[in-house]
Amino acid sequence: MITQASEGADARAVAVYCAASPHIDESYFEMARMVGAELARHGAAVVNGGGAMGLMGAVNDGALAAGGVAVGVIPQFMYDNGWQHRGLTRLEVVGSMHERKARIAQLTTGAIALPGGVGTLEELLEIITWRKLALYQGNVVVLNYRGFYDPLLSMIERCHTEGFIQRSTTPLYTVVDSVEAAIAAALASPCPATLVSPYDDAAR
Ligand code: AMP
């Protein structure tokens, strides 16, 4: 089902940022399917880029197989290339990558980053930045599966140590190493969360 990007946030919907690459170890796929299934078990919708490949496809498959809701937000050019998952509960087609990221943030009450490539790293750093600027209210969770995020976390720690990022009483993100902990942290977000798009000038 394809809809225009016009509806508001789903109750208890979690953004899951993750790899589109299929060329990764099977254990990552098992973990991603579990994330989708566990979110479904908690009655939370999965929201992501709507892809069929890699961990994105696995999260969507896991949620749908468990009877859950999976919502995809995909740019027109990817849809034209046929990269969308064909079984999603809802697929929104938007004009650009920027619109996609803003829409995913708008729809969700928390976010989890699984391992991924540059697209995932960019999505994670952007949502942390939006949280820092109080443009995103949901909890941001880094699932540091297999220590995947250790180098990035070291980089961010260096930013703190050298004063590039101020330490705050409100954490910008939470780091966990299990699927269960990731879901608990994401669902502990105030709900409903984000309704402000960083690309909406009127919101500034
Ligand atoms: P990466 O972490 O580099 O694999 O990128 C994941 C992100 O890249 C996704 O969230 C999408 O924004 C985008 N992306 C790259 N390839 C695809 C694809 N085949 N289908 C859907 N989204 C994709």
Side-chain angles (χ1 to χ4, degrees):
M1 174 179 165
I2 304 169
T3 66
Q4 294 297 311
S6 60
E7 297 162 35
D10 290 312
R12 291 165 70 84
V14 174
V16 182
Y17 303 121
C18 56
S21 172
H23 307 291
I24 53 180
D25 190 81
E26 175 57 27
S27 66
Y28 288 111
F29 288 94
E30 287 169 22
M31 176 272 300
R33 281 191 290 270
M34 196 186 303
V35 168
E38 284 297 300
L39 283 169
R41 199 171 65 78
H42 284 83
V46 168
V47 183
N48 65 19
M53 301 285 285
L55 300 188
M56 218 183 327
V59 170
N60 289 329
D61 288 343
L64 294 165
V69 170
V71 176
V73 184
I74 197 162
Q76 185 73 53
F77 81 92
M78 288 189 184
Y79 183 80
D80 292 344
N81 284 334
W83 294 358
Q84 69 275 21
H85 191 293
R86 309 294 165 134
L88 295 174
T89 313
R90 190 170 92 230
L91 180 64
E92 295 188 7
V93 181
V94 294
S96 69
M97 292 292 281
H98 286 155
E99 281 179 55
R100 173 202 241 183
K101 290 183 291 176
R103 181 63 178 155
I104 290 173
Q106 184 184 42
L107 283 171
T108 58
T109 55
I112 302 172
L114 311 185
V118 288
T120 302
L121 297 177
E122 189 239 1
E123 288 165 336
L124 172 59
L125 289 175
E126 184 167 70
I127 202 72
I128 290 172
T129 304
W130 290 356
R131 189 165 159 84
K132 187 166 185 292
L133 296 170
L135 295 168
Y136 188 74
Q137 310 297 328
N139 289 349
V140 176
V141 184
V142 177
L143 178 40
N144 194 22
Y145 183 73
R146 289 170 51 147
F148 181 85
Y149 277 108
D150 286 349
L152 180 66
L153 296 170
S154 296
M155 183 72 242
I156 296 174
E157 182 54 31
R158 179 167 178 169
C159 292
H160 281 301
T161 304
E162 296 204 27
F164 289 102
I165 307 175
Q166 307 306 305
R167 292 192 196 278
S168 145
T169 47
T170 310
L172 294 176
Y173 55 89
T174 306
V175 182
V176 299
D177 59 12
S178 73
V179 169
E180 294 77 11
I183 287 164
L187 293 179
S189 295
C191 182
T194 302
L195 291 172
V196 176
S197 164
Y199 298 106
D200 179 0
D201 287 338
R204 291 178 180 273

